[in-house]
Amino acid sequence: MRQEVEAIPGVVANFLDQSRPVLDAAAAALRERNPLLVATVARGSSDHASSYLKYAIELTLGLPVASIGPSIASIYGKDLKLDRCAAIAISQSGKSPDIVGMTQSARRSGATTIAITNTAGSPLADASDFTIDLHAGLEKSVAATKTFATSVVAGLALIARWSGDDALAAAVNDLPNSLARAVACDWSELIGALDGHNALYVLGRGPGFAIASEAALKFKETCNIQAEAYSAAEVMHGPVAIVTPGYPVLSLAARDAAEASVADMAHKLAGQGALSFVTSDRPGGARALPFAATGHPLTDPLALIVSFYGFVEKLSLHRGFNPDVPPALKKVTETL
């Protein structure tokens, strides 16, 4: 896992170099077909990448994005009315039957289907009009890191071309440099602070909420910590009741329009006695963690998860686990 986290900047650079033709072709098709809605199909970390891209598409293109439960096709046998839609399926293996089945259903229904996968010759690729190969190489650790990051980069690169957003395109092209800085961020202070704790909240908003969901999953997978992700707005609607003195809270604030609300919530919870950390330099009671700013609000959250990956690998070892082989998990999960 450590090697794969440190490889992320180079993997992203290789992806951006190798994938220009298919990104250009897929973006051209989307502009021509002008979908009214985008559907995403994914599970696990790939679904968190889809959530990230949901916000990016809605904020950039103004198109609504809906996550489609794969069981609609695989278990319930129902085709949805997707003829004026685009469908983006994300799976590093491209082998899970339910993801493949839902993508096939979307294609039958007339959607423009796009696969983002690390396995170009997979069944998911065969089910799609366009296949964006991550070119990430073999990922040995069960906990996905480089494939998650590159899946988000693939989606952002597609969105930049589709929308003609030059600022986003420039930020995506500079991600190898930004993510190298993110890998170097040291969150060691958080490792010892979590000693004796087996539960925490991870907060974010917008694309940062997708990152919070991914971080919560990695806490569970690699450290056996019961982490729950919430919107920094939603946490006050009930979940805050269990934030007793000393309860850990990690707030992932990006440099975007939601930074103030996420940081303010982190400081508010610190004032209530929480063991509160935040990736922001806005002043307050929460402890600040270092971050690598990317210069664009839609790429900033990605840098945060890369810094988090380096931290959680160390935390896993600190707590006596093997982050490469979490118990009861395997690399390729095939669900129906």
Side-chain angles (χ1 to χ4, degrees):
M1 184 175 176
R2 169 62 49 182
Q3 292 172 343
E4 288 166 359
V5 172
E6 293 179 348
I8 288 172
V11 168
V12 168
N14 181 59
F15 167 79
L16 292 172
D17 182 60
Q18 296 287 329
S19 299
R20 290 189 182 93
V22 68
L23 288 168
D24 289 342
L30 290 169
R31 286 194 300 272
E32 179 182 352
R33 299 176 191 183
N34 193 25
L36 299 177
L37 179 141
V38 178
T40 63
V41 185
R43 290 200 188 279
S45 286
S46 294
D47 197 35
H48 301 153
S50 296
S51 296
Y52 192 118
L53 299 179
K54 164 189 168 65
Y55 285 102
I57 290 169
E58 291 176 347
L59 291 169
T60 303
L61 289 151
L63 284 175
V65 180
S67 174
I68 305 298
S71 61
I72 292 295
S74 64
I75 295 295
Y76 297 104
K78 184 70 174 179
D79 287 338
L80 300 179
K81 297 175 181 179
L82 299 174
D83 56 301
R84 290 296 309 278
C85 301
I88 300 175
I90 306 179
S91 168
Q92 66 92 13
S93 72
K95 296 178 181 178
S96 190
D98 54 350
I99 305 298
V100 175
M102 187 64 236
T103 306
Q104 291 170 331
S105 171
R107 196 179 195 183
R108 281 195 305 271
S109 299
T112 301
T113 51
I114 299 168
I116 297 176
T117 180
N118 200 37
T119 313
S122 64
L124 181 62
D126 292 341
S128 302
D129 297 310
F130 298 93
T131 299
I132 301 174
D133 185 351
L134 298 180
H135 298 287
L138 179 64
E139 188 172 56
K140 295 181 180 179
S141 174
V142 170
T145 54
K146 64 179 181 177
T147 53
F148 173 85
T150 313
S151 294
V152 173
V153 174
L156 292 175
L158 177 64
I159 293 164
R161 285 165 166 80
W162 180 6
S163 64
D165 188 324
D166 292 337
L168 178 57
V172 169
N173 288 334
D174 193 48
L175 274 172
N177 297 320
S178 301
L179 299 182
R181 295 195 303 273
V183 170
C185 286
D186 184 3
W187 291 10
S188 296
E189 178 187 6
L190 187 51
I191 294 175
L194 291 177
D195 283 349
H197 295 282
N198 292 307
L200 81 159
Y201 283 164
V202 189
L203 308 184
R205 291 193 80 172
F209 175 60
I211 290 303
S213 298
E214 171 63 6
L217 175 62
K218 290 298 186 288
F219 272 125
K220 296 183 183 84
E221 284 181 333
T222 66
C223 302
N224 279 19
I225 293 175
Q226 180 61 40
E228 297 297 332
Y230 286 101
S231 161
E234 190 66 30
V235 72
M236 296 304 292
H237 291 261
V240 73
I242 67 169
V243 182
T244 52
Y247 190 88
V249 178
L250 172 61
S251 298
L252 298 175
R255 272 21 70 198
D256 67 3
E259 179 180 8
S261 65
V262 176
D264 289 351
M265 180 55 63
H267 298 321
K268 176 180 175 65
L269 294 176
Q272 295 177 192
L275 181 61
S276 186
F277 291 81
V278 64
T279 57
S280 175
D281 53 15
R282 290 176 63 87
R287 302 186 202 178
L289 293 172
F291 55 86
T294 68
H296 195 286
L298 289 180
T299 54
D300 246 45
L302 184 60
L304 294 178
I305 199 62
V306 171
S307 298
F308 172 85
Y309 284 154
F311 147 75
V312 82
E313 188 267 349
K314 291 179 181 178
L315 178 65
S316 178
L317 294 172
H318 176 76
R319 294 172 75 98
F321 297 106
N322 180 351
D324 295 338
V325 189
L329 298 177
K330 59 182 180 178
K331 186 61 184 173
V332 178
T333 303
E334 296 187 3
T335 51
L336 294 174

